[in-house]
Amino acid sequence: MTDQECMELALQEAEQGIAAGDGGPFGAVVILDGKVAGRGHNRVLLKHDPTCHGEMEAIRDACARLGTHDLSGAVIYTTGEPCPMCHGAILWANIAGIVYGCRREDAEEAGFRDRVFHEQISGGTGGPVIREAFRERCRELFARYREGEHTLY
């Protein structure tokens, strides 16, 4: 599949979401081995869940369809530059490439507040207060987990 064909699929996802009133103009598809592995669009309003961005939904769909949490070798096509949350999910899923349409500035012009999240991650001010507490107790939990047999991801 070409970049254009893949981006058209992401745009179709976004259009479906807008028409349904599910959320913003964000659609995404995960392509693996030349095939659509997952697709999704913004469902924040539909699900009353701020994590239901198009990329997150496409990753969830791909993982469910393939029965895995590892999308190594995949490429995600998305109508907007991934926010820090989505970028993190893309990294956790081992997705190899990101192709996006609109920049974060374009999203801001449309009324979205992605810039504040990018600034927070880059060491800016604002956002929630972050502090450490009960580290030793939590380290005990992690140590018990490490001692057992588990699949690491």
Side-chain angles (χ1 to χ4, degrees):
M1 296 181 76
T2 67
D3 280 349
Q4 183 176 348
E5 291 170 325
C6 295
M7 189 58 79
E8 283 298 328
L9 293 173
L11 285 160
Q12 289 171 14
E13 274 296 320
E15 293 284 357
Q16 289 173 13
I18 292 168
D22 292 346
F26 304 100
V29 291
V30 174
I31 306 296
L32 183 61
D33 298 327
K35 298 178 187 145
V36 176
R39 58 181 67 225
H41 59 264
N42 187 293
R43 290 186 172 93
V44 168
L45 299 178
L46 175 69
K47 294 185 176 181
H48 307 288
D49 182 342
T51 69
C52 292
H53 291 192
E55 299 93 336
M56 302 292 282
E57 294 290 289
I59 291 168
R60 289 172 180 138
D61 185 48
C63 289
R65 284 183 188 209
L66 299 174
T68 185
H69 60 275
D70 187 353
L71 300 175
S72 290
V75 175
I76 190 165
Y77 288 79
T78 177
T79 58
E81 180 179 358
C83 73
M85 174 186 68
C86 292
H87 196 129
I90 290 165
L91 292 171
W92 277 111
N94 297 313
I95 292 175
I98 302 169
V99 179
Y100 66 89
C102 287
R103 297 176 181 169
R104 63 182 84 160
E105 296 85 4
D106 302 320
E108 186 172 358
E109 284 179 18
F112 295 92
R113 58 189 178 107
D114 292 28
R115 182 172 47 93
V116 66
F117 299 102
H118 289 282
E119 288 175 357
Q120 171 79 26
I121 296 291
S122 299
T125 59
V129 174
I130 301 171
R131 63 189 182 91
E132 182 181 293
F134 305 101
R135 180 174 181 229
E136 285 309 312
R137 175 67 178 93
C138 294
R139 283 177 50 88
E140 291 170 13
L141 172 70
F142 277 46
R144 282 197 314 276
Y145 180 83
R146 184 179 61 242
E147 292 167 4
E149 290 190 29
H150 304 283
T151 300
L152 296 178
Y153 48 93

